[in-house]
Amino acid sequence: MTPDQPIIDWAWVGRNLDLLLEKTGEHALITVLSVLIGLAIAIPLTITVRRWRPLVGPVLGFTGALYVIPSLALFAFLIPITGLSLTTTLIAMVGYTLLILIRNTLAGLDGVTPELVDVATGLGYGPGQRLWRIEAPLALPVIMAGIRLATVSTIGLVAVAGIIGQGGLGDVIINLGIHAFFATPIIIGTILAATLALAADAGLLALQRALSPWAGRRAVDG
Amino acid sequence: MIAFLGELGAWFTDPAHWTGNDSIPLRLGEHIGLSVGGLGLAMLVAIPLGLFIGHTGRGTAVVVSASTIGRAIPSVAILGLAFPVTLTLGWGLGVPPTLLALMILAIPPILTNLYVGLREVDPELRDAATGSGMSGRQLLRRVEWPLALPLVLAGMRTAAVTVVATATIGAILSTGGLGRYIIDGIAQQDYPKMVAGAVLVMLLAFAVEGLFAIIQRRAVSPGLQRQAGPGGVLATPEGRAGGG
Amino acid sequence: MISAAAPTASAVSFEHVEKRYGAGPPAVRDLSLTVPAGEICVLVGPSGCGKTTTMRMVNRLVEPTSGRVLIDDQDVAGLPAVELRRRIGYVIQQVGLFPHLTIGQNVAVVPNLLRWAKADVAERVDELLLLVGLDPETYRDRYPAALSGGERQRVGVARALAARPSVLLMDEPFGAVDPIRRERLQNEFLRIQDELGATVIFVTHDVDEAIKMADRIAILDVGGALTQYDTPNAILSAPASPFVEQFVGADRGLKRLSLSRVGDLPLDQPLLARVGEQRAAVRARLPDDGAFVLLTDGQRRPLGWLSREALNADGPLSDTEAVPGSALLQPESTLRDALSALLAADVQSGVVVDAHDAVLGTISVDAISATLRVDPA
Ligand SMILES: Nc1ncnc2c1ncn2[C@@H]1O[C@H](COP(=O)(O)OP(=O)(O)OP(=O)(O)O)[C@@H](O)[C@H]1O
Ligand SMILES: [Mg+2]
């Protein structure tokens, strides 16, 4: 990293295309897995706390505290148990998605107009049917906004796991770039990660619109 | 587990970790110094800029791009990019790139929230204020700023938490701070040291959250305090800025 | 009702004023009118006819494209806008109370901008809250969120009056409250204006409100043209154009009732009885042809009517015996409002009360209808 070096060493990029592709895939995979596992936990948990309202405070308090723990510290807590493994990255990432996913799912379901819930009950929907047929579809834009936010912030956080060699493009930025005093992997890794984030954001937004065509465009753009 | 907790306790009570050039007070001081510095620099840029854009409604593209960049670029990448920049500028390693990265990371949440806070002021209130004979400055100081304050403080809290978290990662650029214990602990496979560092960083992050909760209660007019009940949407439009 | 102008009131004049927003047709077109000092001028007209625009040119929230707006013969364009606005009261429909300031601080906004001494501001705030019927001890330190819509409107008026403005601009100030509360607010404002004597420009959509509040009404047509500017009486008896005629409505005869107030008619004085009084004593006062007695509490506030039969027994009167239901009226209520209140309550006469709800007398449907038969000219 000296002033006379070119900003991007294209020869290096050419030699490492396979690696970059692999790391991008890995980054995307960790993100998708984290958000899916996060949803698998957050949705049942939200439905549960909606039944037992006193649990809302503790659940949001706990996931909120988890959210505030700096990622490197969270990795450090996990390493003695799960080592320098992909599991460590995954557990931490899932932990960070929980607050966003639970809060938005809760806000989405609670935000359904009470009259509509009333009408549905009056029409003879059972509680389960009402949740799936009425409340969930109406809450979808807000839930999807949570998924977008969780996905984009996970893409940013995964990179930190490059410190333990399990961070997808973070490995490229940290281990090949920063540690090697070599600017090219830093820049390329950043561009790939940012592209991934913007693509995921745009893709999820499109999905959200396709799934809830009735929702006004403004309402879902959060 | 019990044995590990014993080792952890021993690490904390070891007098060697309380003095010298790798001591807890020193690392904590470095960490706070970096964080306050990064946040302070960011405020110096973001607040005047946000006030101008929010009050006049000119230059909104700046806010939109800042908030997009803030969301899309990982904090690690900002640290990584700051590194060749400061090297090229001849500012060297360690503190300068970390400080630069922290500042860049902290700008978007403060700027966006300040802008949104000012823009969301009810036009009727602006009208009432102007009609009562307030000058532009008085409108900003007496009406727009206090009404935007809850969002501004929420943005600063997000920024502060992000900065504390990223300052930890700054250890990979051979900065000081509490991240040193974690990075060195991983490298030396010294788990008590690593976990001790994590405990300290976590406590610091919690303290920052607590501090902002207190500031929020003190500084925001009681007329604007809504119960921060559970179930609301995320407090800031940013969420967690760029990770960390 | 022409109120005596306070020494501070100022005349407001528009001279060939035109306002265009962008390239479109003018919002206000060649407007010339003078509001004499101390009068209430009401601007009415269909939506979008430029009422708000006209009003906002007075405090320079809008600058005219051409023509002049004068306050006491001074062109407002030559006055510094900020100082000008501090001596013009401004009330808007949405009230616009600052949510982060207490009620007291809201009322104190303009005095504070004018850097009054602290003690003077505090005194003035309490004085104004009392004036608009809000107990200072209860309301001063509350925040707007804790107030009802009607209470907020009152605070809005108090805030506009704080620095003793010589001109008061009110843009649909009572538009956001229900009709009953609006009637009360109108009455209260007329009572305040009697003492205040400011020059008031008042915007409304509601012709009845215009007739009730106005010394003079300015009727604007779409496109910002002034079609008639005259006293309510003259507008009702001689509409200047088919537009005005249509605008004031087919029931002009009935609307004339809005020109007079309950207080303008002689009130009947019913026989009053107080709670706790011995029936025998009341019976003794009751004339042979009297069928009813009005029962009041210790402060002369009406509780309801008692029939002659109810007095036949002995012992003191209790407050549960009266038959409630008679409409309560205020001297400032228009005859039209009074009539509809009486018809709605299905009663023959209503009790008129003062600002403290004490009985002033009663007024009957017959007395009101009789005014319709008298030639108004
Ligand atoms: N700031 C503005 N920019 C452009 N056009 C405006 C602006 N303010 C008002 N107008 C236009 O000028 C015309 C008059 O508006 P104004 O608000 O004065 O009407 P109004 O009589 O007060 O209507 P309403 O009874 O609905 O309050 C309308 O056609 C309106 O659209
Ligand atoms: Mg208007």
Side-chain angles (χ1 to χ4, degrees), chain C residues 286-299:
Chain C
L286 190 66
D288 289 342
D289 59 338
F292 291 97
V293 174
L294 182 61
L295 184 65
T296 68
D297 66 7
Q299 272 91 49

Side-chain angles (χ1 to χ4, degrees), chain C residues 165-209:
Chain C
S166 56
V167 176
L168 193 56
L169 307 176
M170 306 177 84
D171 195 350
E172 304 192 40
F174 311 135
V177 287
D178 61 75
I180 295 176
R181 209 159 294 154
R182 182 184 318 161
E183 224 255 293
R184 275 201 92 96
L185 286 168
Q186 288 167 348
N187 293 346
E188 260 170 32
F189 179 72
L190 287 170
R191 222 173 270 168
I192 293 168
Q193 167 67 1
D194 265 348
E195 296 169 32
L196 202 71
T199 307
V200 181
I201 298 182
F202 189 108
V203 167
T204 180
H205 266 107
D206 176 358
V207 178
D208 291 308
E209 185 171 59

Side-chain angles (χ1 to χ4, degrees), chain B residues 30-118:
Chain B
E30 286 170 348
H31 205 113
I32 293 177
L34 274 173
S35 304
V36 169
L39 197 62
L41 287 173
M43 279 162 61
L44 243 82
V45 176
I47 291 182
L49 198 59
L51 285 177
F52 175 80
I53 299 174
H55 181 68
T56 61
R58 276 184 288 172
T60 49
V62 175
V63 179
V64 176
S65 7
S67 109
T68 310
I69 292 171
R71 287 216 289 172
I73 300 188
S75 52
V76 166
I78 301 223
L79 273 174
L81 291 174
F83 183 47
V85 170
T86 51
L87 267 188
T88 312
L89 290 174
W91 294 353
L93 265 174
V95 174
T98 310
L99 216 47
L100 179 67
L102 295 183
M103 175 182 99
I104 292 171
L105 277 166
I107 288 175
I110 302 176
L111 182 64
T112 311
N113 280 34
L114 176 52
Y115 169 77
V116 172
L118 292 178

Side-chain angles (χ1 to χ4, degrees), chain C residues 38-83:
Chain C
E39 286 201 3
I40 301 182
C41 165
V42 176
L43 306 177
V44 276
S47 194
C49 69
K51 305 182 291 292
T52 299
T53 303
T54 302
M55 207 190 71
R56 287 159 65 93
M57 286 190 286
V58 178
N59 64 357
R60 294 189 59 192
L61 285 173
V62 171
E63 302 285 357
T65 311
S66 65
R68 305 194 301 164
V69 179
L70 308 171
I71 293 183
D72 280 341
D73 300 324
Q74 265 191 306
D75 189 345
V76 294
L79 303 170
V82 164
E83 270 103 84

Side-chain angles (χ1 to χ4, degrees), chain B:
Chain B
M1 186 69 189
I2 304 286
F4 183 76
L5 285 181
E7 285 176 57
L8 192 60
W11 192 91
F12 272 113
T13 45
D14 186 344
H17 296 143
W18 291 90
T19 52
N21 58 6
D22 193 29
S23 72
I24 296 173
L26 180 78
R27 291 300 183 209
L28 183 65
E30 286 170 348
H31 205 113
I32 293 177
L34 274 173
S35 304
V36 169
L39 197 62
L41 287 173
M43 279 162 61
L44 243 82
V45 176
I47 291 182
L49 198 59
L51 285 177
F52 175 80
I53 299 174
H55 181 68
T56 61
R58 276 184 288 172
T60 49
V62 175
V63 179
V64 176
S65 7
S67 109
T68 310
I69 292 171
R71 287 216 289 172
I73 300 188
S75 52
V76 166
I78 301 223
L79 273 174
L81 291 174
F83 183 47
V85 170
T86 51
L87 267 188
T88 312
L89 290 174
W91 294 353
L93 265 174
V95 174
T98 310
L99 216 47
L100 179 67
L102 295 183
M103 175 182 99
I104 292 171
L105 277 166
I107 288 175
I110 302 176
L111 182 64
T112 311
N113 280 34
L114 176 52
Y115 169 77
V116 172
L118 292 178
R119 281 287 102 183
E120 271 184 357
V121 170
D122 191 340
E124 260 89 51
L125 294 180
R126 276 209 193 97
D127 199 58
T130 314
S132 301
M134 288 190 197
S135 61
R137 249 165 203 280
Q138 286 168 327
L139 171 67
L140 186 59
R141 230 176 61 84
R142 296 181 185 222
V143 177
E144 291 177 326
W145 173 260
L147 290 177
L149 198 58
L151 262 187
V152 173
L153 288 174
M156 286 187 192
R157 192 177 69 189
T158 305
V161 171
T162 307
V163 159
V164 166
T166 311
T168 318
I169 307 171
I172 57 176
L173 300 184
S174 22
T175 329
L178 296 166
R180 279 260 63 82
Y181 295 136
I182 303 179
I183 298 288
D184 296 347
I186 293 173
Q188 302 154 7
Q189 300 205 3
D190 181 349
Y191 285 180
K193 182 181 193 174
M194 175 184 78
V195 174
V199 168
L200 290 168
V201 170
M202 179 180 75
L203 292 179
L204 185 59
F206 286 168
V208 168
E209 276 272 314
L211 182 69
F212 272 92
I214 293 171
I215 295 177
Q216 185 104 22
R217 219 168 303 139
R218 291 268 167 90
V220 171
S221 155
L224 300 177
Q225 303 273 8
R226 332 158 233 208
Q227 310 94 311
V233 225
L234 281 174
T236 74
E238 279 296 305
R240 191 193 186 87

Side-chain angles (χ1 to χ4, degrees), chain A residues 11-30:
Chain A
W12 181 90
V13 177
R15 279 196 309 280
N16 290 280
L17 271 184
D18 283 350
L19 177 75
L20 290 172
L21 209 62
E22 181 197 323
K23 286 295 174 185
T24 309
E26 191 181 304
H27 204 111
L29 186 69
I30 297 173

